[in-house]
Amino acid sequence: AQKITQTQPGMFVQEKEAVTLDCTYDTSDPSYGLFWYKQPSSGEMIFLIYQGSYDQQNATEGRYSLNFQKARKSANLVISASQLGDSAMYFCAMREAAALNAGGTSYGKLTFGQGTILTVHP
Amino acid sequence: NAGVMQNPRHLVRRRGQEARLRCSPMKGHSHVYWYRQLPEEGLKFMVYLQKENIIDESGMPKERFSAEFPKEGPSILRIQQVVRGDSAAYFCASSPGADFRYTFGSGTRLTVV
């Protein structure tokens, strides 16, 4: 069974500083994908960044980067230059490998971690 | 270019009533996923549907829960005879194909009293 672990229930960071949110995963499948989502207090789920298991380089999206260490099975999210609006819950998720629909195409069933609440202080 | 629309945003039901949660996918999206988020937890997969077909319902409770995605109209998640443990946020996501980068709706928060 696949598993995602986020060991930090809460994190605090000063505005304009960088912060790393931890995520480790467990899978025996060679092909998988890792995601980070942001959930602000309003409740919606916002996609931030994606890393494929075969991607050679760490993913980056603006101020977000994913520190992918395959051997350690970790996929930490790094937020640079934190802003007050970054205060939210952050979820790491993994796409289950080899889930096929009727057409033989894999589909995006995700397993989520418990989340980390990030608070950015002014 | 409307996103994934879920309604209602908040739903209160008494124990034993039925809850119907609606999800209108983005225009052109024919794949829908439903997830449930219990308090203080991450999202958990419930069901994956394509138009008129349930592809994977491995996360759905065996009783009282059902989902559909008709040829016309929104996807519906139906919970019969709700109990307090059904209180949660229910999220829908859609994609144009069997694509992992789907878009989430804002969720429906169900409270059972």
Side-chain angles (χ1 to χ4, degrees), chain A residues 35 37 39 42-45 47 50 61 91 95 100-102 105-114, chain B residues 9 31 33 35 37 40-45 48 50 55-56 58 91 98 100-102 104-106 109:
Chain A
F35 303 75
Y37 286 88
Q39 187 177 43
S42 51
E44 68 267 33
M45 293 290 289
F47 167 79
Y50 167 78
E61 293 279 356
F91 290 101
R95 178 190 182 193
L100 301 177
N101 65 9
T105 307
S106 60
Y107 59 90
K109 184 173 168 180
L110 298 179
T111 301
F112 283 81
Q114 296 288 86
Chain B
R9 285 296 304 272
H31 298 244
Y33 303 79
Y35 286 80
Q37 184 179 26
E40 311 298 324
E41 294 188 12
L43 279 69
K44 288 187 168 48
F45 170 80
Y48 163 50
Q50 294 177 31
I55 306 301
D56 183 341
S58 58
F91 287 91
F100 54 83
R101 297 198 188 196
Y102 43 62
F104 277 96
S106 295
R109 275 119 190 108

